């Protein structure tokens, strides 16, 4: 009887030590997260990187569908939630645990290649229609630097306005601009970088309550993917 008692205690102990299933919240942000059709699996640079990081780390996860703003609030309070991808910024710094880098690039102002607009600094934007993604870190940056701009629901909307001449400049991550131009094919409007605004890092950002061992495993796996060239190879398939 005593033998079974101790076995039961061991089982309970092992269950209590079992690693949690991570809730992953994403936003449609090509080429990092691409949701082509509702009901179809997501793809993109961040999705592929996360899949490999989970396989290497042994951490289990599930994707949870939730509006992005609500997801950001949810992860701040729940124990095992993570956002993918999220740009690190001063306003967000203390809200999350920045577990691992997904991308390091820049946010810049893009204009049509044939545009006669000259942008040397932010003062040159006065009177021009500048567009950015609604609720993005780019919008946060522009607001903080007192730049007048319009927020649009999707990056496709912003590129469309730039292409049609409605907008004079588009503030966005450089990889996002490159991907959308590539996606349009031969009919795409060529664009060029008019002004680099800031270097950025896009992360897997998690709750501060996420267990240390889980965060360390995921962070180490994402670092390994960058160091062995896997991250660059994945990105190249979407951008080149």
């Amino acid at each position: 009887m005593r033998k079974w008692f101790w076995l039961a205690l061991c089982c309970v102990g092992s269950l209590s030590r079992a690693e949690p299933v991570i809730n992953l919240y994403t936003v449609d942000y090509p080429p990092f997260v691409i949701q082509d059709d509702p009901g179809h699996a997501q793809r993109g640079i961040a999705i592929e990187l996360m899949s490999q990081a989970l396989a290497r780390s042994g951490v289990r996860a599930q994707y949870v569908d939730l509006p992005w703003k609500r997801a950001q609030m949810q992860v701040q309070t729940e124990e095992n939630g993570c956002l993918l991808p999220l740009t690190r910024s001063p306003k967000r710094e203390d809200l999350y645990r920045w577990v691992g880098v997904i991308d390091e690039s820049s946010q810049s102002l893009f204009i049509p290649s044939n545009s006669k607009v000259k942008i040397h600094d932010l003062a040159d934007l006065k009177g021009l229609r500048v567009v950015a993604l609604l609720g993005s870190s780019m919008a946060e940056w522009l607001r903080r630097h007192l730049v007048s701009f319009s927020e649009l629901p999707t990056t496709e909307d912003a590129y469309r306005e730039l292409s049609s001449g409605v907008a004079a400049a588009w503030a966005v991550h450089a990889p996002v601009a490159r991907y959308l131009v590539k996606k349009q094919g031969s009919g795409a409007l060529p664009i060029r970088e008019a002004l680099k605004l800031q270097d950025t890092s896009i992360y897997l950002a998690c709750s501060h309550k996420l267990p240390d061992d889980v965060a360390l495993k995921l962070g180490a796996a994402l670092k390994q993917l960058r160091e062995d060239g896997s991250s660059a190879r994945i990105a190249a398939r979407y951008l080149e």
Side-chain angles (χ1 to χ4, degrees), residues 80-93:
N80 300 315
C82 294
L83 298 162
L84 180 76
L86 193 71
T87 303
R88 195 166 185 169
S89 69
K91 184 177 180 180
R92 295 168 173 170
E93 183 64 33

Side-chain angles (χ1 to χ4, degrees), residues 24-186:
L24 291 174
Y25 302 93
T26 64
V27 62
D28 186 28
Y29 192 53
F32 298 106
V33 177
I34 304 169
Q35 180 68 68
D36 292 319
D37 296 298
H40 287 71
Q42 295 175 324
R43 59 189 182 92
I45 295 171
I47 298 298
E48 289 195 35
L49 276 176
M50 196 65 211
S51 176
Q52 292 195 26
L54 291 170
R56 293 191 185 197
S57 65
V59 174
R60 296 178 300 151
Q62 61 183 356
Y63 285 97
V64 182
D65 186 18
L66 205 63
W68 188 234
K69 285 190 175 182
R70 185 175 163 193
Q72 292 179 58
M73 297 295 293
Q74 178 82 6
V75 169
Q76 291 174 37
T77 58
E78 76 175 21
E79 185 173 356
N80 300 315
C82 294
L83 298 162
L84 180 76
L86 193 71
T87 303
R88 195 166 185 169
S89 69
K91 184 177 180 180
R92 295 168 173 170
E93 183 64 33
D94 296 332
L95 300 178
Y96 306 103
R97 181 169 187 163
W98 303 93
V99 172
V101 176
I102 299 297
D103 173 79
E104 289 182 320
S105 54
S106 65
Q107 289 176 325
S108 302
L109 284 167
F110 288 87
I111 62 176
S113 294
N114 60 1
S115 174
K116 292 182 170 53
V117 171
K118 304 293 184 183
I119 303 176
H120 301 291
D121 54 38
L122 296 182
D124 292 330
L125 297 175
K126 186 175 182 181
L128 300 179
R129 178 172 171 82
V130 179
V131 291
L133 180 65
L134 176 68
S136 65
S137 61
M138 188 73 270
E140 175 190 323
W141 190 95
L142 293 170
R143 195 173 289 113
R144 191 166 68 248
H145 288 80
L146 305 179
V147 176
S148 296
F149 68 101
S150 297
E151 292 182 270
L152 299 179
T154 70
T155 52
E156 287 84 354
D157 291 333
Y159 177 64
R160 192 177 302 114
E161 282 209 5
L162 189 71
S163 299
S164 64
V166 175
W170 176 25
V172 66
H173 274 109
V176 175
R178 287 174 59 192
Y179 173 78
L180 285 179
V181 171
K182 177 185 175 183
K183 182 181 176 182
Q184 298 303 314
S186 59

